[in-house]
Amino acid sequence: MNRLFGLTGLCLILLLAGCAGDPPHPKTPRQALYGLGNRAAEATMAAPNWQVPIDERVLLLAPPDIDTGLPFDTEQFRETLTRALLAQHGGPQVLNWTPDQATNAIPENQWLLKSRLIAEGPALALSDRRLLPYRLELDLRRPGDTQPRWQYRIDGALDASAL
């Protein structure tokens, strides 16, 4: 009987130790890009130019411009950014926007978010992985404006094995 409890306790300890270990490595592009999308969403929601409360904001999300040197496509990043924006506390409404949509009589609560993800040089080879340096540029503007009212830049590197 004591032996049974000893084995059960040992299994429980090993199970808990496994849960407390390293988190699982990302297996899909969505998971690999999640952190970048979340950082971009937090920065966007903290932009000082908003003129309406967070729960009244509507973001028109332009198709991202993705550098061909990065191994994922526009829709993968757009989905990640959309999900991150929608996950913000009390977050905005997010609508996909295309350049051919009319910009006449846009309500004051609607803002256009443009993003550009650029490969910043060749991949960096480490002993156990390759890192892909990037720069993400965000700009927030009123639809129809030629100049952004807010710009933000995030520099980093993505683990190529997670893509």
Side-chain angles (χ1 to χ4, degrees):
M1 188 76 159
N2 283 342
R3 185 170 186 211
L4 178 61
F5 285 122
L7 287 175
T8 304
L10 179 61
C11 288
L12 182 59
I13 289 170
L14 290 174
L15 179 65
L16 291 174
C19 291
D22 289 338
H25 295 290
K27 294 180 179 68
T28 66
R30 182 183 307 161
Q31 291 170 326
L33 294 174
Y34 174 77
L36 178 58
N38 197 40
R39 286 179 61 198
E42 288 172 356
T44 301
M45 298 318 299
N49 297 76
W50 293 107
Q51 298 169 354
V52 293
I54 192 170
D55 60 340
E56 295 178 22
R57 296 175 192 168
V58 176
L59 275 177
L60 306 173
L61 191 59
D65 181 12
I66 306 292
D67 195 329
T68 57
L70 296 169
F72 44 89
D73 64 31
T74 298
E75 284 310 307
Q76 288 173 317
F77 184 70
R78 189 178 202 178
E79 180 184 350
T80 299
L81 185 54
T82 299
R83 288 177 180 268
L85 287 162
L86 290 171
Q88 295 297 303
H89 179 69
Q93 295 178 42
V94 180
L95 304 172
N96 285 341
W97 178 85
T98 56
D100 62 340
Q101 290 176 313
T103 56
N104 308 5
I106 299 293
E108 284 297 313
N109 67 333
Q110 291 187 6
W111 289 75
L112 178 61
L113 180 64
K114 291 188 172 189
S115 57
R116 183 170 181 216
L117 192 54
I118 303 161
E120 282 286 287
L124 304 172
L126 303 178
S127 61
D128 61 339
R129 66 182 144 218
R130 281 182 345 124
L131 298 178
L132 304 172
Y134 67 83
R135 180 177 71 236
L136 174 61
E137 297 173 345
L138 302 168
D139 80 50
L140 191 61
R141 62 182 72 207
R142 292 282 301 136
D145 285 359
T146 56
Q147 295 297 316
R149 298 203 187 169
W150 173 83
Q151 292 180 306
Y152 195 77
R153 179 176 157 172
I154 299 172
D155 294 299
L158 294 170
D159 185 347
S161 65
L163 299 172

